[in-house]
C-alpha cells in the first residue's frame, strides 16, 4: 500500500484547486487512490500472437481508439478495460521480443497527434523509458529514427526497452544517443520531419507517493526551474525541425506553468512556428478520455477520473513554417 506524501498533496491542493477549479476534486480522488488506476496493453506488431487479442477480449478489454480518429494506423493496437486491473507484465529476455507493453493509455495520444508516416525522419528527444518510441514504430517505419535520452540510467532503460520490442534488422536502423536535448538543434539543424518532445516534468502520480519527504520538498522547490528547461528543449527541437515539419510537446503533469504557459512562451518568442488544431483528435477519443474544457485548439489536457483513470497528459502540436 503506497503512502501519500502530505507535503506534495498540500502543494497540489493549493495549485490545482486554483488552476482546475471543481475538476480538481475528482482528479485528486483518482490520483490519491492507486487501486483505481488503469493500464492499457499496447500490442507489439513485431511479435504477434493470434491468441493475445482473443485473451484480452475474453478478459473484458476493448480497443482504446476508434476509426473516427484523423490518424490511426491499422498496425497500432491498444486495448483497455473500464475496470482497474493489471495485465501481467513480461520480463526482459535477451533475444526474445515481448508481445505487449503496459502503459497509461493517454501516453499514446502524443504519438497519434504526431502522425508519423513511412519514410519520415523522426526524433524522440527525451525518449526514456521508451514506450512512445515503441508506439511510434507500431504506427510507421521512419526513414531515420533517432531516440535521445540525456540521463545515463534512463538511457540504459531506453536501450533495454527497444531491444525487448524491436527486431534486430530494424533496431540497427535506429540511433540511440545520450545528447543534451538543449543542444540537438545546434548539432542537427533542419534534420527531422517530426519531433516528439515528451519533456521532463513534475510527474504528479509518482510525486504524490514520494517516500522521502526531504527529496519531495526539494523537488517542489526546484519545480519552477522545469519550465525553463522545457522551453529550452522546445526551442532546440524547433531548430532541428525542417520547415513544414511538425512537433508534439507532451508532459504527464497538470501544471499550467509546465504546459500551456511553456507553449504560449514559445509561440510568442518564435516567429517560425504556428499552432496546429488537434481538437478533432480529442473529439474522436472523448468517450474514453476526459479532457479539461478550458484549453485552446492546439492543446489538450487529459484529466483522470474514475472509470477513465488515464492521464494526466498534456499534448500540444506546433508546425514549423
Amino acid at each position: 500500500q503506497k503512502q501519500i506524501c502530505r507535503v506534495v498533496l498540500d502543494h497540489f491542493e493549493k495549485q490545482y484547486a486554483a488552476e482546475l477549479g471543481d475538476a480538481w476534486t475528482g482528479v485528486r480522488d483518482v490520483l490519491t487512490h492507486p487501486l483505481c488506476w488503469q493500464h492499457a496493453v499496447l500490442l507489439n506488431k513485431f511479435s504477434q500472437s493470434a491468441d493475445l487479442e482473443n485473451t484480452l477480449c475474453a478478459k473484458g478489454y476493448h480497443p482504446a481508439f476508434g476509426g473516427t480518429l484523423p490518424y490511426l494506423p491499422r498496425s497500432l493496437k491498444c486495448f483497455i478495460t473500464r475496470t482497474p486491473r493489471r495485465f501481467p507484465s513480461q520480463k526482459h529476455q535477451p533475444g526474445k521480443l515481448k508481445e505487449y507493453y503496459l502503459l497509461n493509455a493517454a501516453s499514446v495520444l502524443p504519438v497519434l497527434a504526431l502522425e508519423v508516416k513511412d519514410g519520415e525522419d523522426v526524433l524522440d528527444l527525451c525518449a526514456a523509458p521508451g514506450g512512445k518510441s515503441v508506439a511510434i514504430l507500431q504506427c510507421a517505419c521512419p526513414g531515420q529514427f533517432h531516440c535521445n535520452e540525456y540521463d545515463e540510467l534512463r538511457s540504459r532503460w531506453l536501450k533495454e526497452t527497444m531491444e525487448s520490442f524491436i527486431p534486430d534488422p530494424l533496431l540497427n536502423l535506429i540511433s540511440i544517443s545520450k545528447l543534451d536535448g538543449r543542444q540537438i538543434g545546434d548539432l542537427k539543424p533542419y534534420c527531422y520531419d517530426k519531433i516528439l518532445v515528451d519533456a521532463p516534468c513534475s510527474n504528479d502520480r509518482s510525486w504524490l507517493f514520494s517516500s522521502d519527504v526531504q527529496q519531495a520538498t526539494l523537488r517542489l522547490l526546484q519545480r519552477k526551474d522545469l519550465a525553463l528547461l522545457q522551453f529550452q528543449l522546445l526551442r532546440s527541437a524547433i531548430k532541428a525541425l525542417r520547415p513544414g515539419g511538425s512537433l508534439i510537446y507532451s508532459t504527464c503533469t497538470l501544471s499550467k506553468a509546465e504546459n500551456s504557459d511553456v507553449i504560449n512562451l514559445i509561440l510568442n518568442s518564435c516567429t517560425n512556428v504556428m499552432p496546429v488544431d488537434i481538437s478533432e483528435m480529442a473529439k474522436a477519443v472523448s468517450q474514453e478520455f476526459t479532457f479539461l474544457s478550458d484549453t485552446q485548439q492546439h492543446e489538450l489536457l487529459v484529466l483522470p477520473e474514475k472509470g477513465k483513470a488515464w492521464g494526466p497528459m498534456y499534448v500540444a502540436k506546433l508546425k514549423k513554417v
Side-chain angles (χ1 to χ4, degrees), residues 123 125-126 180-186 195-200 226-241 246-251 257-270 272-273 298 314-320:
L123 167 64
L125 188 68
C126 313
D180 184 334
R182 294 168 291 187
Q183 296 169 0
I184 276 184
D186 292 323
I195 298 179
L196 174 63
V197 183
D198 186 45
L226 282 168
L228 174 60
L229 171 63
Q230 291 154 350
F231 174 77
Q232 291 169 333
L233 288 169
L234 267 175
R235 208 167 46 178
S236 173
I238 290 163
K239 283 184 187 174
L241 203 57
S246 52
L247 175 155
I248 294 295
Y249 173 71
S250 60
T251 74
E258 297 175 53
N259 294 338
S260 51
D261 287 358
V262 173
I263 290 296
N264 289 337
L265 189 57
I266 281 287
L267 289 170
N268 290 331
S269 60
C270 299
N272 59 344
V273 287
H298 61 273
Y314 175 80
V315 184
K317 187 167 187 175
L318 304 175
K319 184 176 181 175
K320 189 169 182 178

Side-chain angles (χ1 to χ4, degrees), residues 266-286:
I266 281 287
L267 289 170
N268 290 331
S269 60
C270 299
T271 54
N272 59 344
V273 287
M274 58 182 282
V276 178
D277 187 346
I278 55 171
S279 58
E280 282 303 308
M281 184 185 86
K283 208 183 296 175
V285 296
S286 58

Side-chain angles (χ1 to χ4, degrees), residues 50-62:
D51 296 335
L52 184 54
E53 277 189 60
N54 296 333
T55 303
L56 286 165
C57 292
K59 288 181 179 292
Y61 284 81
H62 62 275

